[in-house]
């Protein structure tokens, strides 16, 4: 039975997907951007990989903008969503306190603004816990806006719309050489207000 061999790469110095993405996002300095452009003009292989990277990034962005993912977002994301006429339900739970929350059928995004002192921290994780303190999930090394002193957590609107009454505890954790330190704990008490039975 004949086997199909993949063609060996033709590029002697292929550009990594990470650099291609930074190039597409205009995140490189001028010298690096110029060098990448010169390479892409001469290299069909890397040009094809750039097109694939762009397609993947666009697809991921579309999923993130659907409100269906649990992700960390920025203030710019929230402002843009509102400017586009999307409905954003946002809560700012007090650090160490409780907030009653819900979601309606018409809401596109569900955001928790978690305020904490974030300056100078090497890494911040977001832990998601149930009411008994069991960890349900964790986002490692989340992006933070130290100047705004907040992390904006987007809960999946799809998940929340199907959820029964529930309690979720969010913890911002500074991960340092000596271990973890709690920067803030925020209890979200969800009440289902959408008619019909919950999904579970």
């Amino acid at each position: 039975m004949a086997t199909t061999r993949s063609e060996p790469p033709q590029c002697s110095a292929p550009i990594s997907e990470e650099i291609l993405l930074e190039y597409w996002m205009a995140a490189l300095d001028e010298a690096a951007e110029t060098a990448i452009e010169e390479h892409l003009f001469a290299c069909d292989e890397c040009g094809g990989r750039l097109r694939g990277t762009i397609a993947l990034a666009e697809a991921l962005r579309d999923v993130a903008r659907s409100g269906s993912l649990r992700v960390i977002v920025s203030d710019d994301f929230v402002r843009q969503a509102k400017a586009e006429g999307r409905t954003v339900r946002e809560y700012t739970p007090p650090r160490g306190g409780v907030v009653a929350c819900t979601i309606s059928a018409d809401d596109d995004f569900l955001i928790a603004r978690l305020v904490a002192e974030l300056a100078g921290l090497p890494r911040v994780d977001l832990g998601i816990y149930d009411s008994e303190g069991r960890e349900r999930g964790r986002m490692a090394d989340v992006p933070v806006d130290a100047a705004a002193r907040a992390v904006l957590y987007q809960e999946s609107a799809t998940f929340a719309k199907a959820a029964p009454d529930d309690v979720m505890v969010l913890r911002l954790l500074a991960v340092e050489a000596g271990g973890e330190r709690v920067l803030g704990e925020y209890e979200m008490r969800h009440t289902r207000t959408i008619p019909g039975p919950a999904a579970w």
Side-chain angles (χ1 to χ4, degrees):
M1 182 175 173
T3 57
T4 302
R5 294 184 180 178
S6 60
E7 290 296 320
Q10 302 301 310
C11 179
S12 60
I15 303 169
S16 71
E17 276 73 13
E18 180 181 359
I19 297 298
L20 288 172
L21 186 58
E22 289 180 0
Y23 168 76
W24 176 64
M25 296 175 66
L28 299 174
D29 61 42
E30 186 176 350
E33 186 173 304
T34 300
I36 296 297
E37 285 178 349
E38 289 174 357
H39 183 99
L40 290 171
F41 279 130
C43 181
D44 288 339
E45 182 181 324
C46 287
R49 289 175 51 245
L50 173 62
R51 289 188 291 277
T53 298
I54 291 171
L56 177 59
E58 291 285 1
L60 290 173
R61 184 163 62 181
D62 288 346
V63 173
R65 292 185 62 79
S66 73
S68 296
L69 294 181
R70 284 179 161 175
V71 292
I72 304 300
V73 298
S74 65
D75 271 314
D76 285 341
F77 178 91
V78 174
R79 281 193 292 269
Q80 182 66 31
K82 290 177 179 178
E84 292 172 357
R86 311 291 294 279
T87 304
V88 179
R89 184 179 290 267
E90 183 176 329
Y91 294 96
T92 305
R95 187 165 48 174
V98 177
V99 68
C101 55
T102 191
I103 188 168
S104 76
D106 296 329
D107 291 331
D108 297 305
F109 298 100
L110 181 59
I111 306 291
R113 183 178 295 271
L114 310 176
V115 177
E117 186 53 61
L118 302 166
L121 297 173
R123 172 179 152 183
V124 175
D125 286 5
L126 174 61
I128 303 169
Y129 302 84
D130 64 18
S131 59
E132 303 300 319
R134 293 181 292 260
E135 188 170 307
R136 291 179 175 175
R138 179 176 290 226
M139 295 181 176
D141 200 11
V142 300
V144 301
D145 185 343
R149 299 178 62 243
V151 170
L152 274 65
Y153 166 71
Q154 174 185 288
E155 176 57 90
S156 165
T158 304
F159 173 86
K161 287 177 181 180
D165 292 357
D166 196 13
V167 174
M168 178 171 66
V169 178
L170 303 173
R171 289 182 192 147
L172 288 177
L173 304 162
V175 181
E176 300 164 316
E180 295 180 350
R181 176 168 55 90
V182 177
L183 301 169
E185 181 171 294
Y186 317 84
E187 185 172 318
M188 316 290 292
R189 293 185 180 172
H190 171 74
T191 300
R192 179 175 174 80
T193 56
I194 297 175
W200 60 89

